[in-house]
């Protein structure tokens, strides 16, 4: 096959670009020194078709149609677009028609992704900025005809290199959301949310706790205020402040809330209609909540003496008998007085379960016709 030589218009002087008057539509011109190929389009514009350089000079692609200016179809495994930045400028900038654009999308040479301005503030950051609330929000959207939603996922592995999976351990931090404001010089954290591994890690088992932190005026250090554990327990004003069983969380007004034990009174009245109380069983009560006895009080209508015993059993075993006594040898007693009280419960069985029956028995009595027995109990 014979070789055919095609010689286009050409120029060997660096920097020379053909003028529209030098070309006709579709004609080619080459700058042999710059290694650039030009043509004239249908609108009378000189267009750069190719550059044989290392692209030290910027290339502009001017597209006036609705089609994409550049389309990359990647069928292999190598990746569709690779940008290697060895300089000090940004790796990728997406601007609108403004020049310069004050609200571009920028990937810096440090790998920061910035939306809304072109100067990174924090290394390794994703930053969104704007002039009002609507334009400064980063939105995650999901369009699907199901119950799923957009998700923001934090992943943690103890693997030291990218792509390695090593199990985390109890106490490891798995997520951190920090809320910060400028003090005029630096961004300072004023609140945060942290998630922790809080138990033994196993296959498909990752027990966790969630902690909420705030910074008090002047401290500058976020302090944990509230925690939800992997069992659903609530710790307030401290990572281990769960209160005691049966305690209630009480508001402190402008101060932190606190766990407060809840006390109730179990009251039984001994009455004989104006005559001295008889010995023996006086009656029974059903207790509808779990509690622990912490104190007893006897109040009489006049000076006298009395010794009371208390028996406890389940509803299924009703009635309680003397064999079910809970007072040991320290029975509630008034001795020649009209009142008595004690929180010394030596030998007592103080635990009462919801549904238990208490039966009250007078062991001895003199001169008393009306006596009130109150048991102070802490709910559990």
């Amino acid at each position: 096959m014979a070789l055919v030589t095609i010689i286009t218009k050409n120029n060997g002087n660096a920097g020379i670009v053909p003028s529209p008057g030098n070309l006709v539509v579709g004609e080619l011109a080459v700058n042999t020194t710059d290694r650039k190929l030009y043509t004239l389009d249908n609108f009378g514009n000189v267009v750069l078709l190719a550059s044989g350089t290392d692209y030290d000079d910027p290339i502009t692609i001017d597209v006036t149609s609705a089609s994409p200016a550049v389309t990359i179809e990647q069928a292999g495994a190598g990746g569709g677009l690779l940008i290697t930045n060895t300089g000090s400028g940004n790796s990728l900038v997406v601007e609108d028609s403004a020049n310069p654009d004050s609200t571009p999308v920028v990937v810096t040479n440090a790998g920061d992704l910035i939306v809304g301005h072109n100067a990174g503030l924090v290394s390794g950051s994703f930053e969104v900025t704007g002039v009002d609330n609507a334009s400064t929000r980063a939105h995650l959207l999901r369009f699907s005809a199901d119950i799923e939603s957009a998700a923001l996922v934090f992943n943690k592995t103890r693997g030291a290199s990218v792509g390695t999976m090593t199990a985390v351990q109890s106490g490891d931090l798995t997520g951190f959301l920090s809320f910060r404001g400028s003090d005029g010089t630096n961004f300072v954290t004023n609140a945060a949310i942290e998630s922790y591994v809080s138990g033994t890690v196993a296959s498909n088992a990752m027990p966790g706790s969630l902690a909420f932190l705030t910074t008090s005026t002047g401290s500058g250090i976020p302090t944990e205020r509230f925690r939800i554990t992997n069992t659903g327990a609530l710790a307030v004003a401290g990572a281990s402040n769960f209160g005691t069983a049966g305690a209630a969380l009480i508001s402190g007004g402008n101060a932190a809330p606190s766990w407060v034990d809840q006390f109730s009174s179990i009251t039984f009245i001994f009455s004989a209609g104006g005559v001295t109380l008889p010995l023996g069983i006086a009656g029974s009560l059903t207790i509808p909540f779990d509690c622990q006895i912490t104190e007893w009080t006897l109040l009489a209508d006049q000076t006298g003496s009395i010794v009371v015993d208390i028996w406890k059993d389940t509803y299924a075993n009703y009635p309680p008998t003397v064999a079910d006594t809970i007072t040991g040898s320290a029975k509630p007693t008034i001795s020649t007085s009209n009142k008595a009280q004690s929180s010394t419960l030596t030998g007592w069985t103080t635990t009462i379960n919801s549904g238990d029956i208490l039966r009250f028995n007078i062991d001895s009595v003199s001169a008393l016709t009306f006596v009130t027995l109150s048991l102070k109990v802490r709910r559990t």
Side-chain angles (χ1 to χ4, degrees):
M1 177 179 178
L3 298 178
V4 178
T5 300
I6 299 175
I7 300 177
T8 64
K9 288 185 177 179
N10 58 84
N11 193 302
N13 296 320
I16 299 299
V17 177
S19 65
N22 297 135
L23 299 171
V24 297
V25 175
E27 187 178 14
L28 301 177
V30 178
N31 185 307
T32 56
T33 299
D34 293 341
R35 291 179 288 178
K36 294 181 179 180
L37 177 65
Y38 301 91
T39 190
L40 189 70
D41 65 16
N42 290 332
F43 302 98
N45 301 310
V46 176
V47 179
L48 176 66
L49 295 178
S51 174
T53 67
D54 293 330
Y55 297 97
D56 293 329
D57 298 326
I59 297 175
T60 300
I61 301 175
D62 189 357
V63 177
T64 58
S65 71
S67 300
V70 177
T71 299
I72 300 175
E73 295 184 2
Q74 171 62 33
L81 177 65
L82 173 65
I83 300 175
T84 301
N85 190 334
T86 60
S88 58
N90 294 320
S91 296
L92 177 67
V93 179
V94 179
E95 297 182 324
D96 59 26
S97 59
N99 186 20
D101 182 15
S102 60
T103 60
V105 177
V106 180
V107 178
T108 72
N109 60 348
D112 304 332
L113 173 59
I114 303 170
V115 180
H117 66 94
N118 52 23
L121 297 177
V122 181
S123 179
S125 66
F126 166 60
E127 300 176 12
V128 179
T129 188
V131 295
D132 56 44
N133 288 338
S135 63
T136 57
R137 296 172 183 155
H139 298 266
L140 299 176
L141 303 178
R142 176 187 174 96
F143 297 91
S144 60
D146 54 34
I147 66 172
E148 298 298 331
S149 70
L152 181 62
V153 179
F154 298 82
N155 292 314
K156 161 70 177 175
T157 172
R158 275 189 166 251
S161 59
V162 175
T164 58
M165 294 291 283
T166 302
V168 293
Q169 300 175 12
S170 183
D172 283 359
L173 188 68
T174 55
F176 180 77
L177 284 175
S178 178
F179 307 90
R180 304 190 300 170
S182 174
D183 64 0
T185 303
N186 301 303
F187 285 118
V188 180
T189 300
N190 70 319
I193 301 174
E194 299 175 338
S195 65
Y196 293 91
V197 180
S198 58
T200 302
V201 175
S203 178
N204 292 320
M206 189 63 58
S209 298
L210 197 62
F212 297 81
L213 299 81
T214 62
T215 303
S216 61
T217 302
S219 73
I221 301 174
T223 301
E224 183 171 326
R225 311 297 185 185
F226 183 75
R227 175 180 291 231
I228 305 172
T229 71
N230 58 25
T231 63
L234 305 179
V236 179
S240 59
N241 182 18
F242 301 105
T244 57
L249 190 61
I250 302 300
S251 171
N254 291 329
S258 58
W259 294 105
V260 177
D261 287 337
Q262 299 299 290
F263 290 93
S264 295
S265 178
I266 298 173
T267 302
F268 187 84
I269 298 175
F270 302 86
S271 178
V275 299
T276 301
L277 292 167
L279 300 179
I281 297 170
S284 303
L285 290 177
T286 301
I287 311 304
F289 51 83
D290 294 340
C291 59
Q292 183 175 26
I293 302 171
T294 62
E295 184 179 86
W296 60 261
T297 301
L298 283 172
L299 302 173
D301 60 332
Q302 58 192 336
T303 298
S305 300
I306 190 171
V307 177
V308 175
D309 197 5
I310 305 171
W311 309 336
K312 177 178 74 75
D313 211 331
T314 63
Y315 176 81
N317 292 332
Y318 179 84
T321 67
V322 67
D324 302 312
T325 181
I326 64 172
T327 60
S329 59
K331 299 177 181 180
T333 301
I334 294 177
S335 180
T336 317
S337 179
N338 64 355
K339 63 183 183 296
Q341 186 179 71
S342 179
S343 59
T344 302
L345 306 177
T346 304
W348 279 57
T349 299
T350 59
T351 299
I352 299 176
N353 297 316
S354 178
D356 279 352
I357 307 294
L358 298 185
R359 174 162 278 198
F360 303 91
N361 188 80
I362 298 177
D363 287 359
S364 64
V365 64
S366 63
L368 300 179
T369 66
F370 188 95
V371 175
T372 299
L373 170 63
S374 293
L375 298 177
K376 181 180 179 181
V377 296
R378 179 177 59 81
R379 288 177 177 263
T380 56

